Amino acid sequence: MEAIMMPVVILGITGILMGLFLAYASKKFEVEVDPKVEAILAILPGANCGACGFPGCAGYATGVALEGAKMTLCAPGGPKVAQKIGDIMGVAVEMPVKKKPAAKKPVEKKVAPVAQTGEPISASQEFIEKNKRMLMKFKEAFDAGDKEGFEKLENLAKMAKKDELLKYYEEIKAGKIIPDGSAPVAAAGVTNANAISATKEFVEKNKRMLMKFKEAFDAGDKEGFEKLENLAKMAKKDELLKYYEEIKAGKIVPDPATMTEAVATVKAEVISATKEFVEKNKRMLMKFKEAFDAGDKEGFEKLENLAKMAKKDELLKYYEEIKAGKTVPDPATMPDTPTVKKEAPKAETKTEDPKKQEASYCSVLGDGLCVPEQNEKVKEDIKKQAEPPKTPEEMEKEKQSASYCSTLGDGLCVPEENEQIVKQNLHQEIDKEIK
């Protein structure tokens, strides 16, 4: 019996001693727990899922209370648990706004290169030389299927209002090629490859303006070429505007050095004036032609008005011929005007028949009256009766003018001694008006 009881007693005493030791140790080595940890642990769902990044809910509660972890990490608890944790910690909690996942950019498909037609773009050689770099960049980007690259170049051209450049971009997209700028482009895009219809003289005088307009138009600089058009309108340069329209239609500005008079002039016809008339009036004719060719409407209309005031009907006639495109010839190259020889009137044979005698002469009084030759005096009397009587002033003027008739081209007859005064006054008046 004793053999059985002794081990039991010893084990009992050992257990009691160990219990006492553990109770003492728990009290001696007890670790104080933050009440906030216990409060947070109490409101957590207790799933111990580890989604918060801590080992279990206790670890998360300790992390929040003692380590400053975020209070919004508990996914199962959601905003409600986060709000309660904030109340325990005495902090307002703001739940993070969930951002929608960014939409994936569609993968741009590379544009398949268009089969080249071998036909060159319709740009002029001058335009290609100036814009070759941009055209080649666009072609390279388009051929490589780099949509972003060639669209960027298109947008740049739109921003700069380069309409013509955009036009050639479209031609490149259609498969046309860019010809080598060094090689002559026969008809690469020029709708009408012939030159403008200006004279050599006009091109020489206005080459700078014509070239500026062409450069602005070819570059698609709408603001630039419209400004030049407005300037020409303000200056009433109608002919310049006419050639601007021809340039817009695709015509080129020729080099005056290579132009010949026959090619340059629209009509090579000369005015129908005599050599003598051209020599006397060359200065006025040339001034009128220069004003008309330059589109100076005010200038040539002033010359027309002067001619009307001076009753220069013949001069006005040649002004009209110049306006029709005829040129003023050089008197030195003109042949002498052949003088028409007037045939001497044949001596009338008197016949005995009075009726034949009467038929041999008819007066030209405009009344259809035919009188015999011997009735000349009767004819003069009839003429005097038909005309109104002249005043004494008119009679005096006739006497004065009989001494000399000037050849000023206006039909004016003046006394010989007044010739120089009339000529001088008329030339001074014309020069004054022209200036």
Side-chain angles (χ1 to χ4, degrees):
M1 190 68 180
E2 287 180 3
I4 296 170
M5 289 300 292
M6 281 304 289
V8 173
V9 171
I10 291 168
L11 287 170
I13 293 168
T14 304
I16 292 167
L17 291 172
M18 288 297 291
L20 292 171
F21 176 75
L22 290 171
Y24 173 76
S26 66
K27 292 288 182 183
K28 185 69 176 175
F29 301 105
E30 183 182 7
V31 178
E32 290 184 6
V33 179
D34 192 329
K36 289 181 181 179
V37 175
E38 292 180 350
I40 292 169
L41 185 58
I43 61 170
L44 289 172
N48 293 320
C49 61
C52 58
F54 290 89
C57 293
Y60 178 55
T62 305
V64 172
L66 304 177
E67 298 172 10
K70 288 184 180 180
M71 294 173 276
T72 57
L73 298 178
C74 185
K80 290 182 180 179
V81 170
Q83 190 65 43
K84 287 178 182 178
I85 294 171
D87 293 340
I88 293 167
M89 298 296 294
V91 179
V93 178
E94 289 184 7
M95 291 299 293
V97 179
K98 288 183 179 180
K99 291 182 180 179
K100 291 181 179 179
K104 291 181 179 179
K105 288 184 180 179
V107 179
E108 291 184 0
K109 293 180 180 179
K110 287 191 175 183
V111 181
V114 179
Q116 294 183 354
T117 60
E119 189 183 345
I121 58 171
S122 61
S124 65
Q125 184 179 344
E126 188 180 358
F127 184 87
I128 292 169
E129 286 173 355
K130 285 184 179 177
N131 301 276
K132 191 172 183 183
R133 184 169 156 272
M134 296 298 286
L135 291 166
M136 290 305 295
K137 272 197 172 186
F138 185 87
K139 186 160 177 32
E140 286 166 12
F142 185 77
D143 289 346
D146 182 7
K147 192 176 181 183
E148 186 180 353
F150 69 74
E151 281 184 352
K152 189 176 180 180
L153 290 169
E154 282 180 320
N155 292 331
L156 280 170
K158 285 174 186 174
M159 285 168 66
K161 296 180 180 177
K162 301 277 187 180
D163 299 328
E164 198 170 12
L165 197 59
L166 285 167
K167 170 191 166 185
Y168 301 131
Y169 284 170
E170 289 301 317
E171 290 185 9
I172 290 168
K173 285 161 81 173
K176 292 188 178 183
I177 60 170
I178 302 163
D180 185 6
S182 59
V185 183
V190 181
T191 312
N192 195 359
N194 61 329
I196 57 172
S197 60
T199 62
K200 180 179 180 179
E201 187 181 0
F202 185 87
V203 174
E204 284 173 347
K205 286 183 179 177
N206 301 276
K207 189 178 179 184
R208 184 169 156 272
M209 296 298 286
L210 292 166
M211 289 307 295
K212 271 197 172 185
F213 185 88
K214 182 156 177 50
E215 285 168 11
F217 185 75
D218 288 346
D221 182 7
K222 194 175 181 183
E223 186 180 352
F225 69 75
E226 281 184 353
K227 189 176 180 180
L228 290 169
E229 282 180 319
N230 292 331
L231 281 170
K233 284 174 186 174
M234 285 169 66
K236 295 180 181 177
K237 300 278 186 180
D238 299 328
E239 197 170 13
L240 196 59
L241 285 167
K242 169 191 166 185
Y243 300 130
Y244 283 169
E245 289 302 316
E246 289 186 11
I247 289 168
K248 284 162 82 174
K251 294 191 177 183
I252 60 170
V253 181
D255 183 6
T258 61
M259 289 176 73
T260 56
E261 292 297 333
V263 176
T265 53
V266 180
K267 290 183 181 179
E269 259 186 277
V270 295
I271 57 172
S272 59
T274 62
K275 181 179 179 179
E276 186 182 358
F277 185 88
V278 174
E279 284 173 346
K280 285 183 180 178
N281 300 276
K282 188 178 179 183
R283 183 167 159 273
M284 297 297 287
L285 291 166
M286 288 307 295
K287 274 191 180 268
F288 184 87
K289 181 156 177 51
E290 285 168 12
F292 184 75
D293 288 345
D296 183 6
K297 194 175 180 182
E298 187 180 353
F300 69 75
E301 281 184 352
K302 189 179 278 188
L303 291 168
E304 283 180 319
N305 292 331
L306 276 171
K308 285 174 186 174
M309 285 168 64
K311 295 180 181 178
K312 301 268 190 176
D313 298 329
E314 198 171 11
L315 196 58
L316 285 166
K317 171 191 167 185
Y318 299 130
Y319 284 169
E320 290 301 318
E321 289 186 12
I322 290 168
K323 284 162 82 174
K326 294 187 179 183
T327 60
V328 181
D330 184 5
T333 60
M334 289 178 74
D336 292 328
T337 310
T339 54
V340 180
K341 293 181 180 179
K342 291 184 179 179
E343 291 182 5
K346 294 179 181 179
E348 293 180 7
T349 54
K350 292 184 180 180
T351 56
E352 293 179 0
D353 192 353
K355 286 184 179 180
K356 286 182 182 179
Q357 220 176 39
E358 183 179 340
S360 66
Y361 177 82
C362 282
S363 67
V364 206
L365 299 179
D367 54 3
L369 179 64
C370 288
V371 294
E373 190 175 3
Q374 62 267 26
N375 291 339
E376 204 57 48
K377 191 174 181 183
V378 177
K379 180 188 73 172
E380 291 293 331
D381 292 338
I382 293 168
K383 188 176 179 181
K384 285 178 181 177
Q385 287 173 12
E387 292 178 356
K390 292 182 180 179
T391 61
E393 291 177 0
E394 287 176 343
M395 296 289 286
E396 185 63 29
K397 281 182 182 178
E398 278 186 6
K399 285 179 184 179
Q400 285 183 346
S401 62
S403 62
Y404 176 78
C405 280
S406 66
T407 51
L408 299 178
D410 53 4
L412 180 64
C413 288
V414 295
E416 189 172 4
E417 58 269 16
N418 293 340
E419 177 193 4
Q420 294 301 326
I421 298 168
V422 173
K423 281 184 179 179
Q424 187 178 357
N425 290 343
L426 187 60
H427 284 303
Q428 282 177 356
E429 185 182 349
I430 291 170
D431 291 340
K432 185 180 176 183
E433 289 296 329
I434 291 168
K435 287 176 183 177

